Amino acid sequence: MSEKITKTDAEWRAALDPETYRITREAGTERPFSHPGFPKGPGHYDCVCCGARLFDGDTKFESHCGWPSFSQAGGKIDELRDSSHGMIRTEVRCHRCDAHLGHVFPDGPPPTGLRYCINGLALTFVPES
Ligand SMILES: [Zn+2]
């Protein structure tokens, strides 16, 4: 699972729909509250690009910020300093395929105090029975 996945730009473009491509490969952001949400129930959230498991359902919480939010990473995620848009933020990416996921902020609930603010289009929900 720790193997890196690398594809050419053309390969990603062919594999993803245009909006998902824009978000995950060009560090885009979906409009807040634009994602219809994920099915309720136990499960986990995988990278839409490579299928790596990224977040567990029991760390998801309602942040009212307009994007799916998690209090802790459930898989391998890279954190990068992002100084775009005149802000210093911490970008989070899928470790396996470098997909842009969103950002992490230090204003989440205990015990981590973190809020992973993630584009819904970057994730696939996998139900667990
Ligand atoms: Zn990935």
Side-chain angles (χ1 to χ4, degrees):
M1 280 298 278
S2 62
E3 256 175 67
K4 283 273 190 184
I5 290 190
T6 46
K7 292 188 186 187
T8 65
D9 192 55
E11 285 171 329
W12 284 122
R13 223 178 254 279
L16 303 168
D17 70 67
E19 182 68 354
T20 304
Y21 174 87
R22 185 182 72 81
I23 289 166
T24 58
R25 313 316 313 184
E26 298 186 318
T29 300
E30 69 193 12
R31 280 182 300 107
F33 303 103
S34 67
H35 192 269
F38 294 101
K40 300 276 182 243
H44 55 91
Y45 296 81
D46 292 357
C47 176
V48 75
C49 292
C50 75
R53 183 167 171 161
L54 297 177
F55 296 99
D56 293 326
D58 57 6
T59 66
K60 191 171 187 295
F61 68 100
E62 186 48 71
S63 67
H64 306 286
C65 72
W67 293 276
S69 298
F70 301 86
S71 58
Q72 146 182 349
K76 275 195 153 186
I77 280 178
D78 290 336
E79 299 191 358
L80 296 90
R81 181 186 159 98
D82 172 12
S83 57
S84 65
H85 304 289
M87 294 175 273
I88 305 292
R89 295 179 297 173
T90 303
E91 179 192 354
V92 289
R93 289 183 181 238
C94 172
H95 173 75
R96 196 175 178 201
C97 76
D98 284 332
H100 171 79
L101 304 172
H103 292 86
V104 58
F105 300 96
D107 59 4
T112 61
L114 297 174
R115 172 170 61 95
Y116 287 86
C117 181
I118 305 299
N119 290 291
L121 283 177
L123 299 173
T124 305
F125 178 70
V126 181
E128 278 164 16
S129 51

